[in-house]
Amino acid sequence: MSISGKKILIAISGGIAAYKIHFLIRDFVKKGAEVQVIMTPDAEQFVTKLSISTLSKKPVYTDFYSDNGTWNSHVELALWADVMLVAPCTANTLSKMVHGMCDNLVIATYMSAKCPVFIAPAMDLDMYVHPSTRKNLEMAESFGHVVIPAESGELASGLIGQGRMAEPETISNTIENFFNSQQEAQTLRGKVVLITAGPTYEALDPVRFIGNHSSGKMGFSLAEEASKRGAKVILISGPTAQTINDKNVELHKITSAKEMLAKVFEFYDTIDIGIASAAVADYAPKEVAKEKIKKNDENLTLELVKNPDILKTMGEKKTHQFLVGFALETQNEEENAKGKLEKKNLDMIVLNSLRDEGAGFKNDTNKIKIFTRTEKKEFDLKSKDEVAKDILNFVESQLLK
Ligand code: PMT
């Protein structure tokens, strides 16, 4: 069963339908999921922490602080979850979610969540059809959240119409179908993907280094996308501000090109796909001064020596690995990229040119061309997340050949 082992974060807000959440928790736990529950302060009027925690087998949080003085980290709760379900989601909580009105633990956790979010609204029929609710639900969907529509029937007010929270069975099936479809889309399941990312820093002395502008964004987007497709990812990154919290991604931080080379070859025999998106310094200072270099002379001459070419070494030692290189060019772009494809014994190369606005370093966007020995494909300017999808789609199409 695909729900087994999944981490489900349920946020309960203050509506009468909260009582149905007991059945849902029991169902999830029975199917092998781990369930963590948080509640808005008003939800406590409808259900007790004790009844919920008895079923979920975990403490229930309603505030940023527990009675024993410990802090309930909304960030940790959010990053822990494979999915977040807000159920019942009242008109008030829905409005706070879509407008970022962060005044309780549930909203702070929701705003920290990177996982898919499911919303099961519950309210009286006139509230449910009110234009503000309709607009807020539309906004939630535009954020990519899944709204599990309210059902029709007798409401707590005695009125009859749409507004009842979907039945626990419907909610459970929706989430289970989501996990099933995710599994089907795991096109890289069973594959090990090694990705190099970010810059390398080559020390001159204890305070200075030679580096470059790589932010690591391209490499981290590739790692996230490969993980979403079910791969085990080994991400070897130079110094960047990027973070990743993904159980399928093993992050190894290095500083210099030599360290990157050594780390890559710890894993090289075990990988299926290698993607070199790092901007590796081609040269490093011949000597690293033990003390800070003093500012005495008008000119300072540094002697640099060639760094190892990591990707070229990978190409030379290739046995079964599918190798993808990047080429960052400023002139004769296509010619240089194709040259690197051959020289480094690659299967595919991704060209990005600093002459294209929005492409290359630091930006959240990139514009690429992909080359194999026989094919060329050009892509529009896109977010690096979308570019990562294009690259992996292309890799997969090559692997199928
Ligand atoms: O990190 P971002 O800010 O998101 O920017 C992304 C990027 C611009 C860094 C990325 O898209 C990119 O182009 N990476 C490769 C940069 C580069 O060093 O290109 P190159 O043409 O100099 O190198 C060719 C290939 O050989 C690259 O795959 C590189 O990782 C690899 N290489 C280069 C030198 C070296 N000593 N060892 C290597 O492995």
Side-chain angles (χ1 to χ4, degrees):
M1 224 174 283
S2 61
I3 216 162
S4 171
K6 299 294 180 195
K7 297 182 178 130
I8 303 175
L9 176 66
I10 303 181
I12 307 178
S13 64
I16 183 67
Y19 81 91
K20 292 187 188 172
I21 298 303
H22 295 99
F23 301 101
L24 189 61
I25 297 169
R26 204 173 54 182
D27 181 55
F28 283 149
V29 170
K30 245 191 190 165
K31 289 175 176 164
E34 253 189 274
V35 179
Q36 172 67 61
V37 179
I38 55 176
M39 310 203 290
T40 62
D42 283 341
E44 276 200 89
Q45 304 289 334
F46 296 91
V47 287
T48 67
K49 280 183 182 177
L50 182 65
S51 63
I52 296 288
S53 70
T54 306
L55 293 167
S56 67
K57 305 180 181 14
K58 284 185 193 290
V60 175
Y61 303 113
T62 50
D63 205 345
F64 294 96
Y65 308 95
S66 289
D67 291 343
N68 62 5
T70 50
W71 182 51
N72 305 322
S73 166
H74 54 281
V75 177
E76 263 175 40
L77 286 165
L79 296 181
W80 169 86
D82 292 320
V83 295
M84 179 172 186
L85 165 70
V86 187
C89 184
T90 60
N92 183 38
T93 288
L94 173 67
S95 175
K96 286 181 183 177
M97 285 167 70
V98 296
H99 293 101
M101 198 180 152
C102 191
D103 67 350
N104 65 39
L105 179 73
V106 163
I107 305 297
T109 307
Y110 157 72
M111 290 181 73
S112 307
K114 288 184 172 176
C115 60
V117 176
F118 291 76
I119 298 172
M123 57 199 82
D124 217 76
L125 81 166
D126 293 319
M127 293 169 80
Y128 194 61
V129 293
H130 193 279
S132 73
T133 306
R134 302 320 311 160
K135 199 147 198 249
N136 288 343
L137 285 172
E138 266 171 35
M139 270 172 84
E141 281 177 329
S142 77
F143 296 167
H145 305 336
V146 178
V147 174
I148 306 170
E151 294 174 2
S152 290
E154 192 178 343
L155 301 164
S157 60
L159 296 171
I160 294 174
Q162 198 179 6
R164 287 161 63 109
M165 187 180 79
E167 288 303 318
E169 197 187 339
T170 309
I171 298 175
S172 172
N173 288 343
T174 306
I175 290 183
E176 195 158 0
N177 288 343
F178 163 76
F179 284 126
N180 282 336
S181 65
Q182 238 195 358
Q183 233 165 36
E184 279 158 21
Q186 297 218 309
T187 41
L188 290 176
R189 193 155 17 133
K191 300 269 186 241
V192 181
V193 180
L194 181 145
I195 297 168
T196 67
T200 63
Y201 285 179
E202 312 298 332
L204 277 170
D205 68 15
V207 293
R208 304 181 183 94
F209 58 83
I210 296 175
N212 59 64
H213 297 295
S214 172
S215 63
K217 285 178 186 167
M218 191 65 253
F220 278 64
S221 290
L222 281 161
E224 267 178 15
E225 184 58 29
S227 161
K228 274 189 201 151
R229 295 175 186 218
K232 176 184 173 206
V233 181
I234 297 159
L235 175 60
I236 302 175
S237 174
T240 78
Q242 305 303 310
T243 55
I244 196 155
N245 194 310
D246 184 323
K247 56 183 177 303
N248 294 332
V249 181
E250 224 179 78
L251 173 63
H252 298 270
K253 293 184 182 173
I254 53 82
T255 305
S256 66
K258 281 191 181 138
E259 287 171 19
M260 185 173 270
L261 177 78
K263 197 48 89 181
V264 165
F265 280 93
E266 268 181 39
F267 299 101
Y268 194 56
D269 290 344
T270 66
I271 68 166
D272 300 292
I273 300 166
I275 307 179
S277 70
V280 184
D282 287 321
Y283 289 88
K286 187 171 182 193
E287 306 278 344
V288 182
K290 282 204 169 53
E291 305 299 336
K292 185 178 173 192
I293 300 169
K294 289 286 169 219
K295 185 174 60 177
N296 293 331
D297 302 327
E298 257 335 286
N299 298 310
L300 173 69
T301 305
L302 295 171
E303 194 176 350
L304 303 178
V305 289
K306 228 181 189 172
N307 260 335
D309 189 321
I310 301 164
L311 185 55
K312 188 158 177 277
T313 317
M314 290 163 81
E316 283 161 4
K317 301 200 169 169
K318 183 160 88 170
T319 51
H320 60 282
Q321 299 86 347
F322 184 90
L323 287 189
V324 182
F326 269 73
L328 179 63
E329 304 294 340
T330 56
Q331 56 183 349
N332 299 330
E333 289 96 331
E334 296 200 8
E335 200 184 316
N336 289 338
K338 285 188 212 157
K340 286 174 186 173
L341 178 76
E342 287 302 332
K343 212 169 84 190
K344 303 196 186 202
N345 191 23
L346 309 178
D347 297 287
M348 168 180 151
I349 194 150
V350 179
L351 163 66
N352 40 195
S353 168
L354 289 183
R355 286 208 283 192
D356 286 326
E357 204 169 316
F361 287 134
K362 290 198 278 195
N363 304 305
D364 290 328
T365 52
N366 206 356
K367 184 169 185 330
I368 60 160
K369 286 180 192 170
I370 294 180
F371 297 89
T372 64
R373 281 181 182 73
T374 53
E375 289 169 72
K376 170 184 169 183
K377 194 164 179 188
E378 196 164 345
F379 298 83
D380 294 334
L381 182 76
K382 297 181 181 179
S383 73
K384 282 184 174 161
D385 286 346
E386 290 300 315
V387 171
K389 285 183 194 164
D390 288 338
I391 293 172
L392 289 175
N393 286 343
F394 204 93
V395 170
E396 285 176 12
S397 72
Q398 297 298 306
L399 290 177
L400 288 174
K401 282 186 177 163

